Amino acid sequence: MGSVSLKIGDGTARFQRATLCSSAVNILMIFSVITTNLFALYAFTASPKHHQLLHHAHKNISVISEQVSLILREIDLSQKKLAQMEKELLGYESIDLSRPNIANELKLFLQRHQLPLGKDSRTGITEMVPSVGHSCEKSADLLSQYMSYKVSGPCPDDWSVAQKLILRGCEPLPRRRCFAKTVSKVGLYPFPVSLWKPVGNKTVNWSGLNCKNFECLNGKKLSRDCIGCFDLVNGYDNQRFVKSKSKNDFLVDDVLALGSGGIRIGLDIGGGSGSFAARMADRNVTVITNTLNIDAPFNEFIAARGLFPLYLSLDHRFPFYDNVFDLIHASSALDVGGKPEKLEFLMFDIDRVLRAGGLFWLDNFFCANEEKKQALTRLIERFGYKKLKWVVGEKVDSAGSGKPQVVLSAVLQKPVRA
């Protein structure tokens, strides 16, 4: 079926057949055939006195054939080396759809489809190509498992498989032609009452999770930002953002005042159970909460509160246009694997979607040491943001090491750039 190359421009895979050096190969093959036939014609039509010359001619034919074969082998080897260099430089591998363990649905999804009327005059495209994460090749077997189902039947209850693929960089996932499992949403409250009412256990899908109810989750330290965060009555989230426990805890009203009344829409990165978005909704500010379902049904819980969850890993480019948000809130979830390069890419994407004059609220970011704090400070200063608030303190890392760590909280304003 051939190889399919992945082109990474926007984080997705564009599958196109590689054709490097094919023209040169065809020309050489044609030249070889013509040359051989000419020598053969000469051999059959030559007079006897030319027998000695024919003997030399046969030797020349053999030499030429060997040379042509050698050239073809060199071209083939060079083509393979070029393809490997391309993959190494661009950082992708190719998905071999001819493998026997690839699901038929995956093969069908990845097919290109020509536009029925040819080239589109507005976009310039001639075909529809599928989008799938470029790292999916590294998890081809798991991806094939995800794409194995009965068409038009119920989807397997395998959201945990999908999340595992996403965490491995296989994002976005391919679409499927099956019906996702439904959960009867019993006991949902109308908005805005829903913001601070307890969410019932029957409103979420507990499959693939160790806990099977919110009572179990309330006793766990899921992350630095989610310790009892599902308890909306007695948990800390009930007071968070409106009452401070330390100098690093900024209040929402104080931060909104810094925006001079221009805060209308925002994005909360790694927002846990959605309490930041709920506080903002109390103040008529719409906030999208970005989170995965790591050890808990965060997305369903946020939706049950009447808020907007965004199921997306931080390795994925934000699916928003440039300069659209008035406010972006982030905490220690910003620490993407402790890799400075990944944090730098993420910060540039945050800057991209935040409008000029908008606020970036860094909330209790844990720094493992002074060096990490200095590195983060240098990164932030590269963007030229105005420091409206900047507080460095110490907090006990209760969900991690259990030891005091340096904590940075800041409210920064994006400048207008030429």
Side-chain angles (χ1 to χ4, degrees):
M1 190 168 184
S3 65
V4 205
S5 73
L6 308 173
K7 178 184 177 184
I8 316 170
D10 53 356
T12 62
R14 301 292 185 230
F15 296 84
Q16 299 176 341
R17 296 188 176 277
T19 57
L20 292 174
C21 305
S22 59
S23 297
V25 173
N26 291 335
I27 292 172
L28 281 171
M29 290 181 68
I30 293 171
F31 173 76
S32 175
V33 171
I34 292 174
T35 304
T36 304
N37 284 318
L38 285 175
F39 275 113
L41 179 63
Y42 177 76
F44 282 112
T45 58
S47 61
K49 64 181 179 179
H50 296 294
H51 283 317
Q52 188 175 2
L53 293 174
L54 286 174
H55 177 71
H56 292 294
H58 282 299
K59 286 185 177 180
N60 290 335
I61 292 173
S62 299
V63 171
I64 292 173
S65 297
E66 289 177 3
Q67 290 296 323
V68 169
S69 297
L70 180 61
I71 292 171
L72 290 175
R73 285 196 298 270
E74 287 296 326
I75 290 175
D76 183 60
L77 182 61
S78 299
Q79 186 176 7
K80 290 178 180 179
K81 287 182 178 179
L82 284 171
Q84 183 61 34
M85 288 173 61
E86 182 186 21
K87 289 189 289 186
E88 291 175 357
L89 288 171
L90 297 180
Y92 63 73
E93 296 293 334
S94 60
I95 295 181
D96 183 7
L97 297 181
S98 65
R99 291 166 54 176
N101 60 339
I102 297 295
N104 289 330
E105 280 293 285
L106 180 58
K107 295 178 182 178
L108 184 62
F109 177 81
L110 295 179
Q111 286 181 358
R112 297 178 296 176
H113 300 280
Q114 297 292 328
L115 296 181
L117 300 179
K119 184 177 180 179
D120 183 80
S121 59
R122 293 176 300 172
T123 62
I125 64 173
T126 59
E127 60 185 3
M128 298 298 294
V129 293
S131 296
V132 67
H134 71 273
S135 294
C136 291
E137 163 62 17
K138 298 177 182 178
S139 304
D141 292 339
L142 191 62
L143 179 63
S144 190
Q145 175 188 335
Y146 174 73
M147 292 298 290
S148 298
Y149 55 86
K150 182 180 179 181
V151 177
S152 298
C155 293
D157 190 6
D158 58 354
W159 71 266
S160 58
V161 173
Q163 182 165 274
K164 189 178 295 184
L165 284 165
I166 290 172
L167 291 172
R168 293 182 181 182
C170 184
E171 186 181 29
L173 288 169
R175 289 172 174 163
R176 301 200 291 187
R177 297 187 297 166
C178 57
F179 297 102
K181 180 181 178 180
T182 57
V183 177
S184 179
K185 304 292 184 179
V186 179
L188 294 179
Y189 293 94
F191 189 86
V193 177
S194 58
L195 292 174
W196 299 103
K197 285 289 186 179
V199 176
N201 292 322
K202 294 183 179 181
T203 61
V204 302
N205 179 13
W206 294 97
S207 66
L209 298 172
N210 292 327
C211 282
K212 303 302 178 184
N213 53 61
F214 289 115
E215 290 73 24
C216 172
L217 288 176
N218 288 334
K220 293 185 176 296
K221 298 178 180 179
L222 298 175
S223 70
R224 292 182 177 129
D225 301 310
C226 185
I227 300 175
C229 66
F230 291 98
D231 186 356
L232 301 182
V233 177
N234 302 311
Y236 170 58
D237 272 33
N238 186 265
Q239 301 295 322
R240 194 178 177 192
F241 304 115
V242 291
K243 290 185 179 181
S244 61
K245 296 174 68 175
S246 74
K247 63 179 182 179
N248 285 85
D249 298 331
F250 301 158
L251 306 182
V252 291
D253 291 329
D254 294 341
V255 174
L256 288 176
L258 297 174
S260 303
I263 307 299
R264 305 152 301 154
I265 56 174
L267 172 65
D268 188 14
I269 299 173
S273 61
S275 291
F276 177 77
R279 286 297 175 203
M280 287 297 180
D282 287 336
R283 290 151 179 80
N284 296 319
V285 177
T286 301
V287 170
I288 297 172
T289 304
N290 156 241
T291 184
L292 291 174
N293 283 358
I294 306 297
D295 298 325
F298 288 103
N299 280 266
E300 288 175 288
F301 188 85
I302 292 169
R305 299 178 73 176
L307 301 168
F308 192 144
L310 178 63
Y311 189 66
L312 190 77
S313 78
L314 293 185
D315 290 324
H316 196 288
R317 184 178 189 266
F318 291 126
F320 306 112
Y321 194 67
D322 302 353
N323 306 295
V324 293
F325 288 109
D326 304 312
L327 170 70
I328 294 181
H329 174 263
S331 54
S332 289
L334 200 67
D335 188 10
V336 281
K339 300 293 184 180
E341 297 84 4
K342 293 184 70 174
L343 178 58
E344 186 173 344
F345 274 105
L346 178 57
M347 280 296 300
F348 270 93
D349 206 27
I350 289 173
D351 180 80
R352 177 183 65 82
V353 298
L354 181 65
R355 68 166 174 83
L359 303 182
F360 174 46
W361 179 354
L362 186 61
D363 188 5
N364 285 282
F365 185 88
F366 278 79
C367 303
N369 48 52
E370 181 65 21
E371 182 182 353
K372 187 170 183 178
K373 180 182 77 76
Q374 292 295 334
L376 178 62
T377 302
R378 288 193 296 269
L379 175 60
I380 291 174
E381 288 175 346
R382 288 172 57 187
F383 291 87
Y385 284 18
K386 182 179 179 181
K387 296 179 181 178
L388 303 181
K389 278 179 173 287
W390 186 275
V391 178
V392 179
E394 273 196 354
K395 272 190 175 183
V396 174
D397 185 7
S398 55
S401 64
K403 300 178 181 179
Q405 287 193 5
V406 176
V407 176
L408 171 63
S409 293
V411 178
L412 311 166
Q413 187 173 41
K414 179 178 175 178
V416 178
R417 303 190 186 104

